[in-house]
Amino acid sequence: MKFKKIVVGALALLTATVATACSSNNSSKTSSSTGYTPKKVLNVQFVPSSQASTLEAKAKPLESLLKKELGIPVKVTVSTSNNALVEAMSSHQVDVGFLPPDAYVLAHKRKIADVLLQAERYGYDEPSGKMNKTLMDKYRAMVVVKKGSKIKSWKDLKGKKIAVQESSSTSGYVYPVVELYKKGLNVVKDSTLTQVQGHDQSVLAVYNGDVDAAFVFADARNIAAKDTPQVMKDVVPIYFTKWIPNDTISVRSDMSQAYRTKLKKAFKNLMKTEKGKKIMSSIYSHMGYKDSKDSNFDVIRDYEKTIEKVTK
């Protein structure tokens, strides 16, 4: 009789242990429906596509607009880099991140973030850089040089000094590096890459003669032109990459589905107001948001496989 009780007790303990393990293994699935919901404050963070101090000043007014939509205080900050934002989301210091494609793919692979929305921007005519009124959910990277430069094509970039963004930047590093590598030029080994913070600063580095060329998103000249209008004519593109999916609004992977839905509505409503659209246009040239899904970024994963070979 005692032996039977011991066996039954052991089986009960084993069943409980297995159930706990299963619950742990399925935590990522259940979190999407019953997970984290911000109660006291929502932490939103941007990455510095232009000078961080300027960007933060532009982004701060979002706090009051989002508070009206969500009913809780919102804190808006700017990270020092793409990687810093990913780590901040990993440690749950940030709930919502404006992640560019490559940084999003990294965060999703590590089960740190899920895509919520994809940005829409007005397109640009090439090569003039003049904005048109076509809403686009994709963009291109470009290689720019100073007008009159001896660099006429990508082949002339060998041995030259090139301004780039951090290595996780889709348009400021990954796409140009990968595509030139496939064409036969490994700029990582055969050129001098100089990291600059902000695509507008890369354009200005070309304009000022500090570098020979720059990898930037199309068309970053428009940002630099706000302070230095001459760049639109004096800095010219010599190469455009293939299309890149627009950057994301991503959320912590443990955020509840109900709150994700609430955030989607809030950001879309924001873009229906003149003030909200003006703020987001001044920060990232965002003109709208559309629902997105992870598979939209599979093309980024293909480029990542190549970048690993290039940087070995």
Side-chain angles (χ1 to χ4, degrees):
M1 194 70 170
K2 287 183 179 180
F3 177 75
K4 184 178 181 181
K5 287 182 178 179
I6 291 171
V7 171
V8 171
L11 284 172
L13 179 61
L14 178 61
T15 301
T17 303
V18 171
T20 301
C22 289
S23 173
S24 175
N25 289 338
N26 290 326
S27 62
S28 61
K29 293 181 181 180
T30 57
S31 66
S32 64
S33 58
T34 61
Y36 170 71
T37 297
K39 299 291 186 181
K40 296 182 179 180
V41 62
L42 179 76
N43 288 292
V44 179
Q45 193 164 95
F46 292 81
V47 292
S49 63
S50 57
Q51 285 185 308
S53 58
T54 304
L55 189 66
E56 187 157 8
K58 292 177 180 177
K60 276 295 179 182
L62 280 178
E63 293 180 338
S64 59
L65 294 183
L66 286 173
K67 182 181 179 180
K68 289 180 182 178
E69 290 287 335
L70 299 168
I72 61 171
V74 176
K75 183 179 180 182
V76 171
T77 56
V78 178
S79 70
T80 55
S81 66
N82 295 340
N83 292 334
L85 174 49
V86 171
E87 293 307 322
M89 293 185 77
S90 175
S91 60
H92 295 169
Q93 296 175 43
V94 170
D95 306 309
V96 180
F98 281 72
L99 289 171
D102 210 69
Y104 161 70
V105 166
L106 169 65
H108 187 73
K109 182 179 180 180
R110 293 174 55 189
K111 299 182 180 179
I112 291 169
D114 295 327
V115 63
L116 186 73
L117 295 166
Q118 204 166 327
E120 293 180 310
R121 293 187 179 94
Y122 286 142
Y124 292 94
D125 295 333
E126 299 173 357
S128 70
K130 185 178 179 180
M131 183 185 292
N132 58 47
K133 294 297 182 179
T134 305
L135 275 179
M136 306 279 289
D137 63 358
K138 57 186 178 181
Y139 70 109
R140 304 217 274 181
M142 63 182 187
V143 181
V144 295
V145 300
K146 195 163 185 179
K147 188 176 182 179
S149 169
K150 292 181 179 179
I151 302 173
K152 304 299 181 184
S153 79
W154 63 267
K155 296 176 183 178
D156 301 322
L157 291 170
K158 186 174 182 178
K160 299 298 189 293
K161 188 176 182 181
I162 305 170
V164 300
Q165 300 300 298
E166 61 183 309
S167 60
S168 63
S169 172
T170 314
S171 57
Y173 192 93
V174 177
Y175 261 60
V177 169
V178 167
E179 291 192 15
L180 295 182
Y181 175 78
K182 289 181 176 179
K183 288 177 177 294
L185 175 62
N186 187 341
V187 292
V188 175
K189 294 181 179 179
D190 299 332
S191 302
T192 301
L193 304 185
T194 302
Q195 186 174 321
V196 176
Q197 189 179 83
H199 293 249
D200 58 333
Q201 298 304 303
S202 286
V203 171
L204 291 173
V206 171
Y207 176 75
N208 293 326
D210 298 325
V211 295
D212 301 306
F215 297 163
V216 296
F217 65 80
D219 196 301
R221 289 177 296 173
N222 287 273
I223 301 176
K226 291 176 181 178
D227 295 321
T228 312
Q230 302 95 306
V231 299
M232 294 304 298
K233 292 185 178 180
D234 291 347
V235 177
V236 295
I238 60 165
Y239 180 80
F240 288 93
T241 68
K242 294 179 180 178
W243 292 101
I244 307 167
N246 270 359
D247 40 319
T248 76
I249 297 179
S250 295
V251 297
R252 284 170 44 172
S253 58
D254 63 340
M255 184 174 285
S256 70
Q257 191 60 52
Y259 205 79
R260 295 179 191 213
T261 301
K262 190 173 184 177
L263 280 174
K264 279 186 182 182
K265 184 178 179 181
F267 279 108
K268 287 180 179 179
N269 285 345
L270 188 75
M271 299 305 284
K272 293 176 183 177
T273 68
E274 286 301 317
K275 189 174 181 180
K277 188 173 286 188
K278 185 177 180 180
I279 292 171
M280 294 313 304
S281 175
S282 69
I283 298 171
Y284 287 151
S285 300
H286 291 181
M287 301 306 296
Y289 295 108
K290 61 181 291 186
D291 291 354
S292 187
K293 56 187 179 182
D294 180 67
S295 60
N296 288 358
F297 300 90
D298 285 345
V299 63
I300 303 298
R301 295 179 174 97
D302 290 338
Y303 273 71
E304 277 191 339
K305 291 175 183 176
T306 304
I307 202 73
E308 288 176 4
K309 298 177 184 176
V310 180
T311 54
K312 274 185 179 179

